[in-house]
Amino acid sequence: MREATVERNTKETRIKATVRLDGTGHYQVSTGVGFLDHMLEQLSRHSLIDLELTVEGDLHIDFHHTTEDSGIAIGQAVNQALGDRRGIRRYADALIPMDETLTRVAIDLSNRPYLIWKVDFTRDKLGDMDTELFKEWFQAFAQAAGVTLHVENLYGENNHHIVESCFKALARALRGAIEIDPRQAEAVPSTKGTLGGTL
């Protein structure tokens, strides 16, 4: 199985993240931030990537470091689990409805990190979590995983639905992009001949 474990320890957070790309969507997530846990559980369940994540963060300050560093750790683990990215489909997209909300995500496992984020919120917080932190999570994940990621909320009113549809759309796009293409299972999907290392 394609899997990896990352441990990230700083003065702000202590994190252990394990991913299994060829999983069933099994998750054990504990960040200390309830809403973030809920979103990462959605990510695992709908991508079929098994995820084990524990975070001890400086929540007495705010949720920023826990949110950003969890994105980094999960991204690094996905990057390592992908290895040289041989045989993957590489590109995928998803269009996810959630009641009145519709969100689109497109992904390229290019090893060239880039985030386009076209998501607006009408509330500053969901529960105790600042809505501005969701962009920070997606940015950290894209950078650490080495993916080009476009996230666009096409329309929606309920902020919870908007955020959840973003994570579910990422999950479904990831599920498609990491799959092994039986027509090129031994080939790297690039005319460069490589997607690993430094491009």
Side-chain angles (χ1 to χ4, degrees):
M1 290 180 67
R2 297 174 296 168
E3 61 181 82
T5 297
V6 167
E7 294 193 43
R8 176 182 170 84
N9 298 312
T10 71
K11 292 181 179 179
E12 298 167 342
T13 56
R14 296 176 57 83
I15 300 177
K16 183 176 182 179
T18 298
V19 300
R20 298 177 189 89
L21 301 186
D22 304 300
T24 60
H26 172 77
Y27 54 80
Q28 290 182 302
V29 175
S30 177
T31 67
V33 181
F35 198 92
L36 182 59
D37 286 355
H38 181 45
M39 293 302 100
L40 297 179
E41 290 166 358
Q42 299 294 335
L43 177 66
S44 172
R45 180 67 188 89
H46 293 283
S47 67
L48 299 184
I49 296 173
D50 293 344
L51 173 63
E52 297 171 18
L53 178 73
T54 55
V55 184
E56 297 176 15
D58 54 2
L59 300 181
H60 62 287
I61 296 176
D62 64 11
F63 295 168
H64 187 282
H65 298 140
T66 293
T67 302
E68 183 177 39
D69 290 3
S70 69
I72 292 171
I74 294 170
Q76 288 175 336
V78 168
N79 193 359
Q80 290 181 26
L82 283 169
D84 65 3
R85 308 188 183 209
R86 187 176 304 275
I88 62 171
R89 294 189 185 275
R90 177 177 167 178
Y91 298 99
D93 61 84
L95 193 63
I96 296 296
M98 190 168 182
D99 295 348
E100 85 298 342
T101 296
L102 187 65
T103 296
R104 175 171 56 207
V105 166
I107 195 168
D108 175 11
L109 304 186
S110 59
N111 205 23
R112 292 196 307 275
Y114 204 93
L115 174 68
I116 295 293
W117 178 259
K118 295 187 177 182
V119 182
D120 295 313
F121 300 105
T122 57
R123 292 172 55 187
D124 293 333
K125 287 184 177 290
L126 281 171
D128 293 328
M129 189 166 181
D130 296 328
T131 50
E132 69 178 9
L133 293 180
F134 295 111
K135 180 181 180 182
E136 299 301 321
W137 188 92
F138 277 82
Q139 177 66 55
F141 174 80
Q143 188 72 33
V147 302
T148 296
L149 182 59
H150 291 238
V151 183
E152 183 178 15
N153 173 240
L154 301 178
Y155 47 83
E157 298 175 5
N158 183 291
N159 288 264
H160 186 132
H161 293 166
I162 291 170
V163 173
E164 190 162 338
S165 65
C166 290
F167 276 90
K168 286 180 175 177
L170 171 60
R172 293 297 296 209
L174 260 177
R175 178 176 170 177
I178 66 174
E179 282 184 348
I180 300 299
D181 184 346
R183 296 176 62 190
Q184 61 161 13
E186 297 304 319
V188 174
S190 171
T191 56
K192 297 183 187 71
T194 180
L195 288 175
T198 302
L199 298 180

